[in-house]
């Protein structure tokens, strides 16, 4: 299934975390449409929200499995397929 995806994860608020996650998406050939990272306090957990470009479900799931293994990612990841009815 090829679709866009909404991804939400909790990460430790420290420099380089967003870059590492974006690198994994890039290595998986998945583009990022948008990112929201609310301001937090360094060292604490904050949500990180992505809207991804079109990708297959398998490729997106593999990228998220790599991301989930990062020590700065805390808790469960959420990945929702975004349907476009145009």
């Amino acid at each position: 299934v090829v679709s866009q995806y909404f991804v939400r994860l909790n990460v430790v608020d420290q420099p380089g975390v967003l870059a590492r996650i974006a690198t994994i998406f890039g290595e998986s050939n998945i583009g990022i449409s948008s990112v929201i990272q609310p301001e937090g306090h360094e060292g604490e957990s904050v949500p990180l929200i992505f809207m991804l470009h079109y990708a297959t479900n398998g490729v997106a799931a593999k990228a998220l499995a790599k991301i989930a293994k990062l020590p700065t990612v805390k808790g469960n990841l959420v990945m929702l397929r975004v349907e476009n009815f145009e």
Side-chain angles (χ1 to χ4, degrees), residues 13-86:
D13 187 14
Q14 66 185 39
V17 173
L18 177 58
R20 182 65 190 121
I21 293 169
T23 298
I24 292 171
F25 282 134
E27 291 170 348
S28 301
N29 204 30
I30 300 172
I32 298 170
S33 295
S34 65
V35 179
I36 299 172
Q37 183 178 12
E39 187 174 341
H41 299 288
E42 192 166 336
E44 292 184 9
S45 181
V46 296
L48 186 56
I49 301 164
F50 292 91
M51 182 62 73
L52 303 177
H53 286 288
Y54 286 92
T56 64
N57 189 299
V59 170
K62 286 180 183 177
L64 286 179
K66 289 180 185 178
I67 291 168
K69 293 179 183 176
L70 295 174
T72 52
V73 175
K74 305 298 177 189
N76 295 328
L77 289 81
V78 175
M79 180 177 84
L80 300 173
R81 193 171 66 214
V82 177
E83 296 292 336
N84 186 347
F85 297 107
E86 291 181 2

